[in-house]
Amino acid sequence: MALDMKTVLIASVLGLFSVLPLMAEQASQVTVTEPWARASIGSRPAAVYLALTNTSQAPATLTGLKADAAGHASIHRTSTDANGVSSMAPVGEIILAPGESIKLEPGGLHGMLMQMNAPLKKGTSVDVTLVFSDGTEQPVEFPVLGIAAKGPEG
Amino acid sequence: MRILSYLGAGVAAAVFMLAVGWWRSVQTSPPDLPLRLGQMAFEMTDHRGNRVTPQDLLGSPAMLFLGYTYCPDVCPTTLSDITDWLEALGDTARDMRVVFITVDPSRDTPEAMAEYVSYFDPRVEGWSGTKGNLDRAVAALRARYERVGDDLEEYAMNHTANVFLFRSDGSYATSIDYHEPREFALPKVRRALNEPMK
Ligand SMILES: [Cu+2]
């Protein structure tokens, strides 16, 4: 009986050790660079941008965004048709193959924050969490640049 | 008899080719160009609360474009591009009138436009008008807009994202696409400003 308890204990400690590195790997499977947000007015929508690289050996699927600052957060794509008409629409999942990078930048993909609780003020920052299909969540801090900013450098 | 049927087939083929040619020309004929500013018929209120018409722009080169202040991606980028061009053009564009016409007048009141344009070059004017006037302005620019979504607060607007450039006599010069890089856009504006009037 005592032996059994010991075995169980060892087994669970071993199990814990084998799970820990896995969790760490999952949490850091995607590297974020150049996050920035554009300042917004009143409760009007705001946009956040960043570059993502899948540094893991497995595909990573970004399924959505969470943000306390907004009533609703999602990934949008702006597209411009042959007549020069621009439109925005939510995108479903974004699948990143191992080693693949994507950029969310003006005129293309962006994180769309709607029903803002407060305007994003230049010089502050906003926290937005990336949600992946395996359940991992990656919080990202976006520095807020001016309304006229076009990239991470301003 | 056989010669006749060959002839018939030949005529049919020729008619078919002509029809294809006609269809192609219909398909690829260039879209209508924007009207001259002097021919446009609409009036709006600018961000300072003044009544304005396209005829008020005559005498200065002008840039017109469509947008709305609930647009967090394309519209601020366009305004920021224009601010960059104006800076780069310096004296050439000193008298340029820059008119941002909202396609969302129910949310973009003159007061809302005033706050929005204050973040960009001081030459940027924000015009908003009734739906009837907006529709006439958009038609005169040969542009388009469309409301997307039924939600009273959270709808979006699809809209033509080109910047339309007019010479000081009100003639249409050229337009700049949303994705046109600065190194193409700037010479285009310069050329249009230096061209003889039409
Ligand atoms: Cu969007």
Side-chain angles (χ1 to χ4, degrees):
Chain A
M1 197 62 187
L3 192 77
D4 275 352
M5 277 306 288
K6 216 174 174 182
T7 316
V8 168
L9 198 70
I10 290 168
S12 44
V13 167
L14 280 177
L16 200 64
F17 274 113
S18 61
V19 164
L20 273 177
L22 251 179
M23 282 173 68
E25 198 175 282
Q26 277 187 344
S28 63
Q29 64 182 344
V30 167
T31 309
V32 168
T33 48
E34 302 185 332
W36 65 282
R38 182 180 286 114
S40 65
I41 303 174
S43 62
R44 285 180 178 72
V48 300
Y49 305 95
L50 77 171
L52 289 172
T53 302
N54 181 2
T55 45
S56 76
Q57 301 303 312
T61 305
L62 182 63
T63 53
L65 302 177
K66 282 188 192 172
D68 288 340
H72 182 73
S74 59
I75 301 160
H76 268 198
R77 188 193 304 276
T78 296
S79 41
T80 308
D81 71 13
N83 296 309
V85 177
S86 276
S87 54
M88 267 190 314
V91 293
E93 301 177 337
I94 296 180
I95 302 171
L96 284 167
E100 192 181 347
S101 300
I102 54 155
K103 242 182 185 173
L104 277 65
E105 57 190 348
L109 291 166
H110 53 275
M112 179 92 167
L113 309 184
M114 292 166 92
Q115 299 153 20
M116 297 295 292
N117 301 326
L120 297 186
K121 295 273 184 218
K122 184 180 172 178
T124 63
S125 67
V126 60
D127 296 320
V128 179
T129 300
L130 312 179
V131 182
F132 293 92
S133 61
D134 62 357
T136 49
E137 297 192 350
Q138 191 165 345
V140 180
E141 187 182 335
F142 293 80
V144 179
L145 309 183
I147 289 187
K150 289 198 285 193
E153 259 79 67
Chain B
M1 210 43 204
R2 192 181 259 179
I3 288 174
L4 266 185
S5 63
Y6 276 134
L7 204 66
V11 168
V15 167
F16 177 74
M17 295 306 283
L18 279 173
V20 167
W22 170 81
W23 179 242
R24 283 230 176 112
S25 74
V26 166
Q27 290 291 291
T28 58
S29 63
D32 286 341
L33 295 178
L35 299 181
R36 300 175 70 97
L37 290 174
Q39 294 173 323
M40 295 184 182
F42 65 89
E43 60 171 27
M44 295 191 168
T45 305
D46 75 5
H47 65 284
R48 296 185 191 92
N50 301 318
R51 292 306 271 172
V52 279
T53 69
Q55 286 75 44
D56 295 338
L57 303 172
L58 296 175
S60 310
M63 284 178 180
L64 272 68
F65 62 98
L66 306 175
Y68 65 112
T69 72
Y70 276 71
C71 158
D73 185 50
V74 164
C75 305
T77 308
T78 300
L79 276 157
S80 185
D81 283 343
I82 290 175
T83 300
D84 281 358
W85 301 339
L86 291 175
E87 225 165 80
L89 290 164
D91 258 7
T92 324
R94 199 185 43 226
D95 301 326
M96 180 80 76
R97 299 278 299 264
V98 183
V99 180
F100 166 25
I101 295 176
T102 179
V103 293
D104 186 15
S106 54
R107 287 187 298 194
D108 289 341
T109 58
E111 298 75 47
M113 295 296 269
E115 178 172 12
Y116 197 76
V117 299
S118 73
Y119 294 98
F120 300 95
D121 187 281
R123 277 164 285 192
V124 178
E125 306 169 34
W127 291 17
S128 73
T130 59
K131 186 173 186 302
N133 278 293
L134 171 62
D135 287 347
R136 284 199 291 282
V138 171
L141 288 168
R142 309 302 189 216
R144 290 177 202 188
Y145 80 100
E146 179 189 15
R147 179 178 159 155
V148 190
D150 300 324
D151 192 297
L152 282 178
E153 295 295 319
E154 291 301 325
Y155 61 89
M157 305 294 298
N158 295 348
H159 61 87
T160 302
N162 297 347
V163 175
F164 300 96
L165 194 64
F166 294 86
R167 303 183 192 88
S168 53
D169 65 347
S171 58
Y172 167 71
T174 187
S175 68
I176 297 164
D177 294 353
Y178 174 65
H179 280 293
E180 211 155 320
R182 179 192 157 96
E183 60 267 36
F184 294 122
L186 262 184
K188 234 168 139 172
V189 179
R190 264 199 203 101
R191 210 178 315 128
L193 293 181
N194 294 329
E195 262 169 15
M197 315 249 170
K198 281 175 189 164

